[in-house]
Amino acid sequence: MAKKKKVLITGGAGFLGSHLCDRFLKEGYDVIAMDNLITGSLDNIEHLFKREDFVFYHHDVSKFVHVPGDLDYILHFASPASPIDYLKMPIQTLKVGSLGTHNLLGLAKAKNARILIASTSEVYGDPLVHPQTEDYWGNVNPVGPRGVYDEAKRFQEAITMAYHTFHGLETRIIRIFNTYGPRMRLDDGRVLPAFISQALRGEDLTCFGDGSQTRSFCYVDDLVEGIYRLLLSDYPHPVNIGNPDEITIKQFGEEIIKLTNANQKLIFKPLPTDDPKQRKPDTTKAREILGWEPKFSRAEGLKPTLEYFKNKVLK
């Protein structure tokens, strides 16, 4: 019988990390989840604790990482990932992207494992190119409030490529665009959980700026499929994964009001510093290299997401 492959998922108790744990267990892997729980929650992986093919380590990857035995793959998803979190924890955000990535690249080298790192569309900053292709270098303010996240991720990509070219390490880089689905935190400050929880509580929906800025929302199952395909591909350069179906924040707010049968209205507040005006992935590479494209429309993805939030908000 073939030996089961083992994967380490950092940030494994987070929104994306927990869905990745589910997917790799379903595919027959032994899964190790690692998380320091500063933004992750054990609630997201509680259903896995009884399984023999699942282990959880409560650990901060910014400190030395040790995993006993063989390891085939590492997925580095540990990081505060919403503006509210990284503005509150700027140093931890920088450390997990730099020291944490360095530690995990070292572990991958020691174990001869392939590593996939979670980068982000934020490496493009407030983009001057639309839609964003992987060869666009970005427009980032390194000393602005958002710089701690943007630059941590840009450094993460740079050191990952250095390990690939210098040490010949098998590396993969995914640039994740706005993703949503069950297990998002209500209070994470991102537009989708903010709008849905406000609508369910009967509050007006807070829109920053005039609502003309755009986002492209990808359902979590589509993203996980893209990550899985990229990990098992042989492509070492960055790949955008996201849903190119672009919508303005104002239209999205109206969509949520309609979906939740709310009587509220949108209220407008000043736009935060360096907030990107446009977000839309060019997913040509994902389509050509991975044969990937999103399957879920926003209407399909919002149904299970709304149910999850109802259980959280209306308890």
Coordinates of all heavy atoms in Angstrom, one line a residue, residues 234-270:
D234 N 3.6 22.1 -12.0 CA 5.1 22.3 -12.0 C 5.5 23.8 -12.3 O 6.5 24.0 -12.8 CB 5.8 21.3 -12.9 CG 5.3 21.4 -14.4 OD1 4.5 22.4 -14.6 OD2 5.7 20.6 -15.2
Y235 N 4.6 24.7 -11.9 CA 4.8 26.1 -12.3 C 5.2 26.9 -11.1 O 4.5 27.1 -10.1 CB 3.5 26.7 -12.9 CG 3.6 28.1 -13.4 CD1 4.3 28.2 -14.7 CD2 3.2 29.2 -12.8 CE1 4.5 29.5 -15.2 CE2 3.3 30.5 -13.3 CZ 4.0 30.6 -14.5 OH 4.2 31.9 -15.1
P236 N 6.5 27.5 -11.1 CA 7.0 28.1 -9.9 C 6.7 29.6 -9.7 O 7.0 30.2 -8.7 CB 8.5 27.9 -10.0 CG 8.7 27.9 -11.5 CD 7.5 27.3 -12.1
H237 N 6.2 30.2 -10.8 CA 6.0 31.7 -10.7 C 4.6 32.0 -10.2 O 3.7 31.2 -10.2 CB 6.2 32.3 -12.1 CG 7.6 32.0 -12.6 ND1 8.7 32.6 -12.2 CD2 8.0 31.1 -13.6 CE1 9.8 32.2 -12.8 NE2 9.4 31.2 -13.6
P238 N 4.4 33.3 -9.8 CA 3.1 33.7 -9.2 C 1.9 33.4 -10.2 O 2.0 33.6 -11.4 CB 3.2 35.1 -8.9 CG 4.7 35.4 -8.8 CD 5.3 34.4 -9.8
V239 N 0.8 33.0 -9.6 CA -0.5 32.8 -10.4 C -1.6 33.4 -9.6 O -1.8 33.2 -8.4 CB -0.8 31.3 -10.5 CG1 -2.1 31.1 -11.3 CG2 0.3 30.6 -11.3
N240 N -2.4 34.3 -10.3 CA -3.6 34.9 -9.8 C -4.7 33.8 -9.7 O -5.0 33.1 -10.6 CB -4.1 36.0 -10.7 CG -3.3 37.2 -10.7 OD1 -2.5 37.5 -9.8 ND2 -3.5 38.0 -11.8
I241 N -5.3 33.8 -8.5 CA -6.6 33.0 -8.4 C -7.7 33.9 -7.8 O -7.5 34.4 -6.7 CB -6.4 31.7 -7.5 CG1 -5.3 30.8 -8.1 CG2 -7.7 31.0 -7.4 CD1 -5.7 29.9 -9.2
G242 N -8.7 34.0 -8.5 CA -9.8 34.9 -8.1 C -10.9 34.8 -9.2 O -10.7 34.3 -10.2
N243 N -12.0 35.4 -8.8 CA -13.1 35.5 -9.8 C -13.1 36.8 -10.5 O -13.2 37.9 -9.8 CB -14.4 35.3 -9.0 CG -15.6 35.0 -10.0 OD1 -15.7 35.6 -11.0 ND2 -16.5 34.1 -9.6
P244 N -13.0 36.8 -11.8 CA -12.9 38.1 -12.5 C -14.2 38.9 -12.7 O -14.3 39.9 -13.3 CB -12.4 37.7 -13.9 CG -12.4 36.3 -14.0 CD -12.8 35.7 -12.7
D245 N -15.3 38.4 -12.1 CA -16.6 39.0 -12.1 C -16.6 40.2 -11.2 O -16.8 40.1 -10.0 CB -17.7 38.0 -11.7 CG -19.1 38.6 -11.9 OD1 -19.2 39.7 -12.5 OD2 -20.1 38.0 -11.4
E246 N -16.4 41.4 -11.8 CA -16.1 42.6 -11.0 C -17.4 43.4 -10.7 O -18.4 43.4 -11.5 CB -15.2 43.6 -11.9 CG -14.7 44.8 -11.2 CD -13.8 45.6 -12.2 OE1 -14.0 45.4 -13.4 OE2 -13.1 46.4 -11.7
I247 N -17.5 43.9 -9.5 CA -18.7 44.7 -9.1 C -18.3 45.9 -8.2 O -17.3 45.8 -7.5 CB -19.7 43.7 -8.3 CG1 -21.0 44.4 -8.0 CG2 -19.0 43.2 -7.0 CD1 -22.1 43.5 -7.4
T248 N -19.1 47.0 -8.3 CA -18.7 48.1 -7.4 C -19.2 47.8 -6.0 O -20.2 47.0 -5.9 CB -19.4 49.4 -7.9 OG1 -20.8 49.4 -7.7 CG2 -19.0 49.7 -9.4
I249 N -18.6 48.4 -5.0 CA -19.0 48.2 -3.7 C -20.5 48.7 -3.4 O -21.3 48.0 -2.7 CB -18.1 49.0 -2.7 CG1 -16.7 48.4 -2.8 CG2 -18.6 48.9 -1.3 CD1 -16.4 47.0 -2.4
K250 N -20.9 49.7 -4.1 CA -22.3 50.2 -4.0 C -23.3 49.2 -4.6 O -24.2 48.8 -3.9 CB -22.4 51.5 -4.8 CG -23.8 52.2 -4.7 CD -23.7 53.6 -5.2 CE -25.1 54.3 -5.1 NZ -26.1 53.8 -6.0
Q251 N -22.9 48.6 -5.7 CA -23.8 47.6 -6.3 C -23.9 46.3 -5.4 O -24.9 45.7 -5.2 CB -23.3 47.1 -7.7 CG -23.5 48.1 -8.8 CD -22.7 47.7 -10.0 OE1 -21.6 47.2 -9.9 NE2 -23.3 47.9 -11.2
F252 N -22.7 46.0 -4.8 CA -22.6 44.9 -3.9 C -23.5 45.1 -2.7 O -24.2 44.2 -2.3 CB -21.2 44.6 -3.6 CG -21.0 43.3 -2.7 CD1 -21.4 42.1 -3.2 CD2 -20.5 43.4 -1.5 CE1 -21.3 40.9 -2.4 CE2 -20.4 42.3 -0.7 CZ -20.8 41.0 -1.2
G253 N -23.4 46.3 -2.1 CA -24.3 46.6 -1.0 C -25.8 46.4 -1.3 O -26.5 45.9 -0.5
E254 N -26.1 46.9 -2.5 CA -27.6 46.8 -2.9 C -28.0 45.4 -3.1 O -29.1 44.9 -2.7 CB -27.8 47.6 -4.2 CG -27.7 49.1 -4.0 CD -27.4 49.9 -5.2 OE1 -27.2 49.3 -6.3 OE2 -27.4 51.2 -5.1
E255 N -27.0 44.6 -3.6 CA -27.2 43.1 -3.7 C -27.5 42.4 -2.4 O -28.4 41.6 -2.3 CB -26.0 42.5 -4.4 CG -26.3 41.3 -5.2 CD -25.0 40.9 -6.1 OE1 -24.2 40.2 -5.5 OE2 -24.9 41.3 -7.2
I256 N -26.7 42.8 -1.4 CA -26.8 42.2 -0.1 C -28.2 42.6 0.6 O -28.9 41.8 1.2 CB -25.7 42.6 0.9 CG1 -24.3 42.0 0.3 CG2 -25.9 42.1 2.3 CD1 -24.2 40.5 0.3
I257 N -28.5 43.9 0.4 CA -29.8 44.4 1.0 C -31.0 43.6 0.4 O -31.9 43.1 1.1 CB -30.0 45.9 0.7 CG1 -29.0 46.7 1.6 CG2 -31.4 46.3 1.0 CD1 -28.9 48.2 1.3
K258 N -30.9 43.3 -0.9 CA -32.0 42.6 -1.6 C -32.0 41.1 -1.1 O -33.0 40.5 -0.9 CB -31.7 42.6 -3.1 CG -32.9 42.4 -4.0 CD -32.6 42.8 -5.4 CE -33.4 42.0 -6.4 NZ -33.0 42.1 -7.8
L259 N -30.8 40.5 -1.0 CA -30.7 39.1 -0.6 C -31.2 38.9 0.8 O -31.7 37.8 1.1 CB -29.2 38.7 -0.7 CG -28.8 37.3 -0.6 CD1 -29.3 36.4 -1.7 CD2 -27.3 37.1 -0.5
T260 N -30.9 39.8 1.7 CA -31.3 39.6 3.1 C -32.7 40.2 3.4 O -33.2 40.2 4.5 CB -30.3 40.3 4.0 OG1 -30.1 41.6 3.6 CG2 -29.0 39.6 4.0
N261 N -33.4 40.7 2.3 CA -34.7 41.4 2.5 C -34.6 42.4 3.6 O -35.6 42.6 4.4 CB -35.8 40.3 2.9 CG -36.0 39.3 1.8 OD1 -36.1 39.7 0.6 ND2 -36.0 38.1 2.2
A262 N -33.5 43.2 3.6 CA -33.4 44.2 4.6 C -34.0 45.5 4.1 O -34.1 45.7 2.9 CB -31.9 44.4 4.9
N263 N -34.4 46.4 5.1 CA -35.0 47.7 4.7 C -34.0 48.8 4.8 O -34.3 49.9 4.7 CB -36.2 48.0 5.6 CG -37.3 47.0 5.4 OD1 -37.6 46.6 4.3 ND2 -37.9 46.5 6.5
Q264 N -32.7 48.4 5.1 CA -31.7 49.4 5.3 C -31.2 50.1 4.1 O -31.5 49.7 3.0 CB -30.4 48.8 6.0 CG -30.7 48.2 7.3 CD -31.2 46.8 7.2 OE1 -32.2 46.5 6.6 NE2 -30.4 45.9 7.8
K265 N -30.4 51.1 4.3 CA -29.8 51.8 3.2 C -28.3 51.8 3.3 O -27.8 51.4 4.4 CB -30.4 53.3 3.1 CG -30.1 54.1 4.4 CD -30.8 55.4 4.3 CE -30.4 56.4 5.4 NZ -30.7 55.8 6.8
L266 N -27.6 52.3 2.3 CA -26.2 52.4 2.3 C -25.8 53.8 2.9 O -26.5 54.8 2.5 CB -25.6 52.3 0.9 CG -25.5 50.9 0.3 CD1 -25.3 51.0 -1.2 CD2 -24.4 50.1 0.9
I267 N -24.9 53.8 3.8 CA -24.4 55.1 4.3 C -22.9 55.2 3.9 O -22.2 54.2 3.9 CB -24.6 55.4 5.8 CG1 -24.0 54.2 6.6 CG2 -26.1 55.6 6.1 CD1 -24.0 54.5 8.1
F268 N -22.5 56.4 3.6 CA -21.1 56.6 3.0 C -20.2 57.3 4.0 O -20.6 58.3 4.6 CB -21.2 57.4 1.7 CG -22.0 56.6 0.6 CD1 -23.4 56.8 0.5 CD2 -21.4 55.7 -0.2 CE1 -24.1 56.1 -0.4 CE2 -22.1 55.0 -1.2 CZ -23.5 55.2 -1.3
K269 N -19.0 56.7 4.1 CA -18.0 57.3 5.0 C -16.7 57.5 4.2 O -16.5 56.9 3.2 CB -17.7 56.3 6.2 CG -18.9 56.3 7.1 CD -18.6 55.6 8.4 CE -19.7 55.8 9.4 NZ -19.4 55.1 10.7
P270 N -15.7 58.3 4.7 CA -14.5 58.5 4.0 C -13.7 57.2 3.7 O -13.7 56.3 4.5 CB -13.7 59.5 4.9 CG -14.6 60.0 5.8 CD -15.7 59.0 6.0

